[in-house]
Amino acid sequence: MLALLSCAFFFHQADRVLFGLLTIPIQKDLGLTDFQIGIVNSSLFFTLAVMIPIAGFVGDRLSRKWIITLSLLFWSFMTACTGLVGGICGLVFFRSVATGGGESFYGPSAFAMISGHHRSTRSIALGVHQCALYLGLMFSGALVACALAFFGGWRPVFFAFGGCGFLLGIVLIFALRDSEM
């Protein structure tokens, strides 16, 4: 369970910085201004700030396994859809509102699930999970650079990241188990 959630958290954080790493090619391709890029980024963090408390409320009442799994599947699909956008409206919707909304449901339920499974080893388990956040941030630059070199454009990078997350979500359907609430 901890390994699966750590993989999901790795993708969560790598996905979070994906737009920032691809800002220049996206901006050039779509002809966006710096102000418009700022709107995309601000909209993402506004969505997260509004949705995370709601996600925590939901995570205390419904199956954490399904919240985590559906969150990963949804944000991964929205990440892939980001590769299809044609302008600022699509970026704000797919990248900020939809992806951010999906990502917001991961953390509260994942932390609660880990805590439920690891009562006497809670600190080390949460520490391992938190390590995945930093690994995702640290390696995302190299992953994006390799994907850009391999695919030759920013759009397929979003498809690849979204596809990898979606495949992990399929694994979570069968491998993840709820802890007691």
Side-chain angles (χ1 to χ4, degrees):
M1 180 269 316
L2 182 58
L4 290 170
L5 291 181
S6 293
C7 287
F9 208 28
F10 176 93
F11 275 106
H12 185 279
Q13 295 307 307
D15 184 83
R16 175 95 38 95
V17 299
L18 184 60
F19 181 77
L21 293 168
L22 294 171
T23 296
I24 293 172
I26 292 169
Q27 194 172 14
K28 286 180 181 177
D29 184 41
L30 299 179
L32 302 175
T33 66
D34 291 341
F35 180 76
Q36 289 172 313
I37 294 296
I39 289 172
V40 174
N41 288 320
S42 294
S43 299
L44 170 66
F45 291 108
F46 177 80
T47 301
L48 291 168
V50 169
M51 294 304 296
I52 286 175
I54 295 168
F57 179 82
V58 172
D60 285 338
R61 285 156 182 76
L62 300 177
S63 167
R64 293 174 180 142
K65 168 197 171 158
W66 288 108
I67 293 170
I68 292 165
T69 302
L70 293 174
S71 169
L72 176 58
L73 290 168
F74 182 78
W75 98 60
S76 296
F77 182 67
M78 293 299 108
T79 294
C81 287
T82 302
L84 301 172
V85 302
I88 184 68
C89 292
L91 278 177
V92 168
F93 177 76
F94 286 110
R95 187 73 212 143
S96 301
V97 176
T99 300
E103 285 181 357
S104 67
F105 280 82
Y106 173 80
S109 290
F111 296 134
M113 180 180 274
I114 292 167
S115 295
H117 278 286
H118 290 272
R119 298 197 192 283
S120 63
T121 56
R122 185 173 296 151
S123 293
I124 187 65
L126 289 170
V128 167
H129 185 253
Q130 189 69 19
C131 182
L133 174 149
Y134 297 108
L135 291 172
L137 294 173
M138 194 169 62
F139 288 110
S140 59
L143 290 172
V144 168
C146 290
L148 268 174
F150 183 78
F151 294 118
W154 66 270
R155 293 177 188 276
V157 176
F158 278 97
F159 301 148
F161 269 70
C164 289
F166 200 83
L167 290 175
L168 179 59
I170 300 298
V171 171
L172 292 185
I173 289 172
F174 300 102
L176 201 59
R177 301 285 177 260
D178 265 319
S179 60
E180 292 181 23
M181 290 193 177

